[in-house]
């Protein structure tokens, strides 16, 4: 299965909703969406993993790269909809606390949107 990335911008927050597999084949699609967000100056970013069925080391590298870029910009990056399979991978490799996570994109948006 390929990866699809749907992009939604609501005010200052850009949400990237992933569906499919975030692996060697799918990672470039996410990276392109992230590059587009960086180019337009996005500082609040949510990556919604609700539809993600698989994530390998390539996908994790892209997520960590996004974390670095957003931290350098003094922006916010949150993950939403992290399923049990992806959460287990994050725990196994020591990334469970690396990203703020929320059950839904709406909860993440409420948490990171500037007042």
């Amino acid at each position: 299965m390929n990866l699809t990335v749907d992009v939604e911008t609501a005010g200052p927050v850009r949400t990237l909703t992933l569906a499919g597999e975030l692996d060697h084949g799918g990672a470039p699609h996410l990276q392109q969406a992230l590059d587009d967000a960086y180019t337009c100056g996005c500082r609040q970013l949510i990556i919604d993993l609700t539809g993600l069925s698989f994530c390998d080391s390539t996908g994790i590298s892209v997520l960590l790269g996004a974390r670095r870029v957003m931290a350098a910009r003094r922006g916010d990056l949150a993950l939403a909809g992290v399923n049990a399979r992806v959460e287990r991978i994050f725990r196994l490799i020591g990334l469970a606390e690396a990203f703020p996570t929320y059950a839904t994109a709406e909860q993440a948006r409420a948490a990171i949107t500037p007042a």
Side-chain angles (χ1 to χ4, degrees):
M1 177 186 253
N2 293 328
L3 181 75
T4 60
V5 181
D6 291 325
V7 179
E8 177 187 340
T9 302
V13 180
R14 182 166 289 196
T15 303
L16 308 178
T17 302
L18 311 185
E21 298 179 356
L22 182 53
D23 57 9
H24 181 73
H29 299 293
L30 175 56
Q31 188 61 60
Q32 182 60 54
L34 289 166
D35 291 344
D36 292 346
Y38 306 150
T39 299
C40 76
C42 176
R43 295 199 47 222
Q44 282 84 32
L45 182 63
I46 298 166
I47 302 176
D48 186 346
L49 307 178
T50 303
L52 198 66
S53 60
F54 178 77
C55 183
D56 71 3
S57 61
T58 306
I60 290 168
S61 293
V62 173
L63 293 173
L64 287 172
R67 181 176 173 255
R68 273 190 309 276
V69 169
M70 294 306 286
R73 292 172 171 238
R74 300 184 193 274
D76 296 304
L77 170 64
L79 301 182
V82 179
N83 65 44
R85 185 178 305 149
V86 174
E87 182 180 6
R88 181 174 183 269
I89 292 168
F90 280 14
R91 273 188 285 115
L92 287 172
I93 62 174
L95 290 178
E97 303 299 319
F99 298 92
T101 59
Y102 300 89
T104 67
E106 292 76 22
Q107 289 174 349
R109 190 174 298 111
I112 70 171
T113 301

